[in-house]
Amino acid sequence: MQMTPDRWTRTSTYLDDVFGREDERLATLMTRAVQAGLPDIAVSASVGRLLTLLGRMVGARTIVEVGTLGGYSGIWLARGLGEGGRLVTIEPEDLHADFARCEFDASGVGARVQIRRGFGLDVLPQLVEELGASSVDLVFLDGIKTEYPGYAASARALLRPGGLLVADNALGGGGWWIDDAPGANASRDAVDAFNRALAADDAFETACVPIREGVQIARKT
Ligand SMILES: C[S@@+](CC[C@H](N)C(=O)[O-])C[C@H]1O[C@@H](n2cnc3c(N)ncnc32)[C@H](O)[C@@H]1O
């Protein structure tokens, strides 16, 4: 059996169809987002399902996300929260944050979601102060890829023992893949450094799930 580009595409479609199982609101969200002028760069349904599942597996009461876009991944994350839980999601673009606010409210998770307008590298250290160290159950990174190493420093402080650092694009993204030669793409190099640092860090147990563009999952020990 050989993996080919066509087989990879069919496999990704299979994963979304069998495991994604979006409801009507999620299935149509990115069509509305693109019509509103947002880029079509949300996670896939199968990654969304994984986010909900991971939140439930750690009994998440507080989740932090970097990179809200239109709220697609945020809705999946919010659905993984336990009773009384909250999602704090960080987004610098008003167009994206305004659109996401409407989608969170319309999907029934609005009361659980706080959108923080700003840059991840600025807001994450503020959250360490506001929420406290070791207070967060899951941090999901999906902002600027060159900033992943910087996000990881704050996530390390925010996460409680047993909490999860989850990062999208651990294997690739627009215009790059992890096996490209070092030095040609700053996002590839930053994510490679991020992956290797987490995998070698005694404070984390780390694995990477190669669905879509790769999801790194690191459990704080
Ligand atoms: C890949 S999209 C996020 C997709 C979203 N997580 C989803 O799957 O539905 C990246 C988002 O990060 C936002 N962003 C850009 N610069 C950022 C920064 N410095 N800090 C945090 N987010 C940033 C972009 O505006 C964009 O909405």
Side-chain angles (χ1 to χ4, degrees):
M1 194 278 288
Q2 193 184 8
M3 182 57 75
T4 62
D6 281 351
R7 175 166 266 164
W8 178 257
T9 301
R10 289 196 301 275
T11 302
S12 295
T13 301
Y14 175 88
L15 291 173
D16 286 342
D17 288 348
V18 175
F19 297 103
R21 294 183 291 110
E22 299 162 300
D23 62 17
E24 184 63 19
R25 189 91 217 154
L26 282 171
T28 54
L29 190 154
M30 285 312 298
T31 301
R32 286 190 296 282
V34 170
Q35 284 167 354
L38 279 67
D40 193 7
I41 52 173
V43 300
S44 65
S46 52
V47 172
R49 175 70 57 187
L50 178 66
L51 296 176
T52 302
L53 185 62
L54 291 172
R56 292 201 177 133
M57 287 170 73
V58 296
R61 292 183 53 80
T62 304
I63 296 177
V64 172
E65 176 183 48
V66 182
T68 313
L69 190 64
Y72 181 83
S73 56
I75 292 170
W76 285 105
L77 286 165
R79 289 178 177 173
L81 286 164
E83 192 68 28
R86 64 186 160 169
L87 166 68
V88 181
T89 180
I90 303 167
E91 174 59 55
E93 298 285 342
D94 284 334
L95 177 70
H96 302 183
D98 291 343
F99 180 90
R101 182 75 267 160
C102 294
E103 292 293 332
F104 289 135
D105 293 343
S107 67
V109 300
R112 285 181 249 167
V113 182
Q114 180 192 8
I115 302 176
R116 292 287 293 257
R117 295 175 193 241
F119 300 111
L121 291 179
D122 295 334
V123 177
L124 283 170
Q126 293 167 11
L127 293 178
V128 177
E129 294 297 315
E130 292 169 27
L131 303 177
S134 303
S135 64
V136 171
D137 304 292
L138 192 157
V139 176
F140 176 56
L141 304 184
D142 198 15
I144 301 295
K145 309 313 158 190
T146 52
E147 297 181 351
Y148 272 24
Y151 301 156
S154 293
R156 204 172 200 281
L158 278 170
L159 285 167
R160 66 161 167 86
L164 299 179
L165 174 53
V166 182
D168 193 35
N169 300 107
L171 293 178
W176 63 274
W177 202 255
I178 205 69
D179 65 341
D180 292 343
N185 185 289
S187 294
R188 192 219 75 89
D189 292 351
V191 171
D192 183 40
F194 166 83
N195 285 342
R196 290 175 187 277
L198 265 289
D201 190 334
D202 286 341
F204 287 93
E205 297 170 295
T206 306
C208 184
V209 183
I211 57 174
R212 194 171 169 263
E213 294 170 326
V215 180
Q216 191 196 133
I217 304 169
R219 178 182 180 272
K220 190 174 176 184
T221 54

